[in-house]
Amino acid sequence: MLITIVTLFPEMFPGMLAYSLPGKQLGNLWDLKTVNIREFSDNKWQKVDDTPYGGGAGMVIKPNIIHEALTDALKNYPNNEPAIINMTPRGRLFNNATARNLAEYDGLIILCGRYEGIDQRVIDHWIQHHNMQEISIGDYVLFGGEVAAMVIIESCLRFVPGIMHNEDSPEDESFCIKDINGSRVDLLEYPQYTKPVSWSGYDVPSVLLSGNHAEIAKWRIEQAKQITRSVRPDLLGH
Ligand code: ADE
């Protein structure tokens, strides 16, 4: 999978993506390129933005500059159609299902805005002509889309075959637990324990020491349901 980040701050990448399991496979199972929006500035001051029509605070990135930058990013994909994503708090809320879906693409282009925003016309154009999706990582506003891009890249890479040690693992974490009958359910993860059996007056639940796998599976699902009911009842449709 080739990921291209379109940003005013290419030096922020790969950043934390160079560590741990994603970092080990960077350049092997996945690759990262950046396109610097500023290189497409149309003036000698290297400015990319201007004041908003209608007035108001902040600056807006000009449509022609974003268009040129995205067109340049597309050149990295001569043989396939990447998913194109605009990171914005106005987008559809990101979740594990979206991560799984994006992981099926051979390529992703991620546009990271800054300042007050990007001229709407270039967004409309790329939605209409290139199927661009707008994604938010939560109901809060960041200074720009770069951290949000890293969040979605990390969660997508967990679904790219070979990146995790055990290919089953992303399917057995919070938001995706296998029920006793093997079907997938959206629940928060059950608690995990390791040695020692007793620590600081807290004991490992005895069922986990029983060796009875059916009982353990049942206990874990029950725990996951209980935790989900208590902190995220919305996941259960309540
Ligand atoms: N850019 C600024 N805030 C954001 C958010 N919550 N999600 C995605 N991109 C953003």
Side-chain angles (χ1 to χ4, degrees):
M1 172 185 269
L2 172 61
I3 303 179
T4 305
I5 312 288
V6 180
T7 170
L8 282 163
F9 299 98
E11 64 279 9
M12 288 182 178
F13 293 88
M16 63 190 74
L17 298 168
Y19 295 84
S20 187
L21 297 183
K24 276 194 193 123
Q25 293 301 336
L26 180 55
N28 302 315
L29 290 175
W30 73 288
D31 226 327
L32 188 73
K33 292 189 176 179
T34 54
V35 169
N36 187 348
I37 295 171
R38 203 168 296 284
E39 283 179 15
F40 299 90
S41 167
D42 54 4
N43 55 78
K44 64 178 177 198
W45 304 278
Q46 295 268 287
K47 264 183 58 145
V48 295
D49 54 358
D50 215 322
T51 51
Y53 278 120
M59 302 290 270
V60 179
I61 308 183
K62 294 164 79 173
N64 50 314
I65 296 176
I66 293 294
H67 184 71
E68 298 288 324
L70 284 173
T71 304
D72 191 59
L74 256 190
K75 291 184 191 149
N76 291 338
Y77 305 89
N79 303 319
N80 53 26
E81 268 203 26
I84 305 178
I85 298 152
N86 179 31
M87 299 313 310
T88 165
R90 270 194 339 212
R92 195 159 44 88
L93 209 52
F94 186 69
N95 61 21
N96 226 28
T98 310
R100 197 182 294 118
N101 170 266
L102 292 177
E104 284 171 17
Y105 286 82
D106 293 330
L108 303 181
I109 293 177
I110 308 181
L111 171 62
C112 302
R114 280 266 150 181
Y115 310 128
E116 288 309 300
I118 294 173
D119 187 301
Q120 187 62 37
R121 290 166 294 179
V122 69
I123 293 172
D124 291 344
H125 175 89
W126 281 76
I127 290 173
Q128 279 164 24
H129 296 276
H130 300 275
N131 231 345
M132 183 165 78
Q133 313 175 37
E134 296 200 280
I135 294 182
S136 163
I137 60 160
D139 293 337
Y140 39 79
V141 182
L142 306 167
F143 285 119
E146 287 78 6
V147 168
M150 290 197 196
V151 167
I152 69 165
I153 292 169
E154 273 217 23
S155 59
C156 282
L157 289 177
R158 294 167 54 81
F159 291 103
V160 171
I163 294 206
M164 309 234 349
H165 288 317
N166 172 357
E167 276 194 33
D168 250 343
S169 338
E171 306 292 349
D172 208 5
E173 294 276 345
S174 287
F175 301 113
C176 195
I177 305 264
K178 278 210 188 83
D179 211 338
I180 330 195
N181 60 14
S183 63
R184 274 196 328 228
V185 278
D186 280 349
L187 295 173
L188 301 181
E189 204 193 10
Y190 48 79
Q192 298 273 22
Y193 301 86
T194 186
K195 297 182 183 65
V197 135
S198 192
W199 174 79
S200 206
Y202 297 87
D203 292 336
V204 173
S206 55
V207 62
L208 299 179
L209 309 172
S210 68
N212 183 332
H213 296 298
E215 279 303 309
I216 292 172
K218 210 166 94 193
W219 180 86
R220 284 179 164 163
I221 288 291
E222 264 323 303
Q223 290 287 310
K225 283 184 181 159
Q226 207 174 304
I227 294 161
T228 309
R229 247 191 319 269
S230 128
V231 296
R232 292 292 305 277
D234 56 299
L235 290 175
L236 299 167
H238 303 312

